[in-house]
Amino acid sequence: MERSLSMELVRVTEAAALSSARWMGRGKKDEADDAATSAMRDVFDTIPMKGTVVIGEGEMDEAPMLYIGEKLGNGYGPRVDVAVDPLEGTNIVAQGTWNALSVLAVADHSKLLHAPDMYMDKIAVGPECVGKVDINASVTENLKAVAKAKNKDVEDVVAIILNRERHQAIIDEVREAGARIKLISDGDVAAAINTAFDHTGVDILLGSGGAPEGVLAAAALKCLGGEIQGKLLPENEEQRLRCTGMGIDDIDRVLHLEDMCGGDDAIFAATGVTDGELLKGVQFKGMKATTQTLVMRAKSGTVRFIDGNHSLKKKPNLVIRP
C-alpha cells in the first residue's frame, strides 16, 4: 500500500464523523448512521485505490451502499480489502454519550477476515501483554497475567466490558478477583483500541461483541502492536453454515490477530464523533467544525493524531440541519 493512502483515508472518516455528529443526542440512530454512511461513500470515490468491502453495512440486498463486495476508490492505486463502520456507536450518538467513532481499516487484498455478522467472544490487550493472555483461560488467570505484565496489582487492573446481561458471569469474576471494571453501553472497537494507550486507563477488553467489530479492532491493534483473540459464537444453524462457508469448520477454533488481519501492512483510521478517552468528538463553531482523528499504519508503526479544522462553507452537505 502507498504511504499517502493513510492521509487520504483520514478524509473519509472525517466526512462521516462530521455528517453523523449533527444527530448527536437527537434520539435517531438510523438517521445518524445513514448520514455517516452516505458521507463516507461519497469520499471513497475520490480515494486512489482499488478497494473491495469485506466488512460493511451488510449484504447487497440489505444495504444500498458500503455493502459487502462493493468496489470502492477511483480505480487507481493498490488493490485492497476494506472494512468499515461509518458510525461505531449509533446508540451512543442518539443518546449523546461517549466514544462514538467513524472507523475504517484497509489491508492488502485477501488479508482481512470476512467476518460474518454474529457475536464473537473477545479478549484484547495492549503491547505489554502480548502473548500473556489466553481466551480459553479463566478471567482471573488473564487478569493476573495482565497485572504481572504491567507490573501492577490485580486491584489496579481495569477491565472494559460491554454492559450486557450475557456478561454477568464475567463481571462477577472480575469483581471477585478484585480488579476494577469500566462498563460501556456500546462501542467495543474503541474499547479494544483503548487497551493500547496508557492514558485511557484501560488494561483489558473482555466479553462478546460483533465479529465485524473484532476485525476492525484487530487492524487497529496490529498497527499498535497489541493483541486480540476471538471465538465465533453462532446462535443457530444458519450462522454455523456461514462459518463453514468462511472455511471455519472448527467453531471452537481461536482466531488470533493474524487470522483477522493478516499480511505485513494495514491502515486504520478513526475520527471521534462524540468525546471519548482517546479522541475528542466533532465540535461545530458557526461555519467551522473541528475533528480529531487517529490514523495508523502497521508497516511503518506510525501513529498520528490529527486535529482537523473544517470550513463548512465549502461543504454545504455538512451544514444541513436534521
Side-chain angles (χ1 to χ4, degrees):
M1 288 184 288
E2 297 174 7
R3 183 179 305 163
S4 61
L5 187 57
S6 297
M7 301 307 295
E8 291 282 353
L9 293 172
V10 169
R11 297 191 297 111
V12 179
T13 56
E14 284 179 340
L18 285 162
S19 291
S20 58
R22 287 289 188 195
W23 294 92
M24 188 183 79
R26 302 179 68 90
K28 297 182 177 181
K29 66 176 185 177
D30 291 336
E31 287 83 350
D33 191 45
D34 289 346
T37 302
S38 179
M40 180 174 273
R41 182 64 184 81
D42 286 347
V43 180
F44 261 128
D45 282 340
T46 71
I47 304 301
M49 68 180 191
K50 296 178 234 179
T52 302
V53 178
V54 298
I55 289 175
E57 293 293 278
E59 305 292 343
M60 187 184 299
D61 57 352
E62 299 170 353
M65 60 183 72
L66 296 180
Y67 55 82
I68 296 168
E70 185 176 9
K71 303 301 181 184
L72 299 177
N74 63 10
Y76 300 94
R79 188 182 180 197
V80 294
D81 283 356
V82 183
V84 299
D85 195 342
L87 183 54
E88 207 252 334
T90 55
N91 286 321
I92 294 173
V93 171
Q95 296 164 13
T97 54
W98 284 62
N99 280 317
L101 301 174
S102 173
V103 178
L104 66 81
V106 170
D108 291 326
H109 176 63
S110 78
K111 297 302 183 181
L112 287 180
L113 178 70
H114 296 221
D117 190 8
M118 65 178 67
Y119 283 127
M120 173 188 282
D121 191 21
K122 306 171 191 174
I123 185 169
V125 291
E128 295 160 294
C129 303
V130 171
K132 309 297 184 182
V133 297
D134 182 353
I135 197 169
N136 288 323
S138 70
V139 169
T140 302
E141 288 172 319
N142 282 315
L143 292 172
K144 289 179 178 178
V146 167
K148 183 177 180 181
K150 302 189 86 167
N151 194 28
K152 60 170 68 175
D153 295 330
V154 170
E155 290 78 8
D156 296 327
V157 172
V158 174
I160 193 163
I161 306 169
L162 280 169
N163 191 6
R164 301 288 188 270
E165 187 177 339
R166 65 179 182 270
H167 290 152
Q168 192 57 53
I170 294 174
I171 293 168
D172 290 344
E173 188 170 349
V174 173
R175 288 172 174 164
E176 277 187 40
R180 298 179 294 155
I181 299 175
K182 179 173 285 190
L183 291 174
I184 56 173
S185 61
D186 293 283
D188 66 344
V189 174
I193 298 170
N194 284 351
T195 64
F197 289 92
D198 279 343
H199 70 271
T200 66
V202 173
D203 298 299
I204 183 170
L205 166 75
L206 296 168
S208 60
E213 288 81 359
V215 176
L216 283 160
L221 289 169
K222 185 184 188 78
C223 296
L224 291 164
E227 180 176 6
I228 185 170
Q229 299 171 23
K231 292 172 70 173
L232 292 171
L233 301 172
E235 297 179 304
N236 51 46
E237 187 59 28
E238 179 184 353
Q239 290 189 355
R240 287 181 175 274
L241 289 173
R242 294 192 73 180
C243 292
T244 303
M246 292 167 51
I248 302 175
D249 296 319
D250 181 3
I251 302 301
D252 294 325
R253 169 189 165 196
V254 175
L255 297 170
H256 294 273
L257 189 151
E258 289 300 317
D259 297 313
M260 295 186 241
C261 182
D264 64 354
D265 204 3
I267 297 170
F268 177 90
T271 300
V273 180
T274 63
D275 287 343
E277 294 91 347
L278 190 62
L279 294 169
K280 293 184 72 68
V282 176
Q283 294 185 9
F284 293 103
K285 303 173 181 181
M287 295 306 292
K288 293 185 178 181
T290 60
T291 57
Q292 189 171 52
T293 300
L294 168 67
V295 61
M296 310 179 284
R297 188 181 179 198
K299 195 166 190 176
S300 63
T302 304
V303 178
R304 290 186 175 95
F305 287 88
I306 298 174
D307 291 322
N309 289 280
H310 308 268
S311 172
L312 300 182
K313 292 179 182 179
K314 298 179 181 179
K315 303 178 179 64
N317 60 309
L318 296 179
V319 298
I320 296 173
R321 301 288 198 281

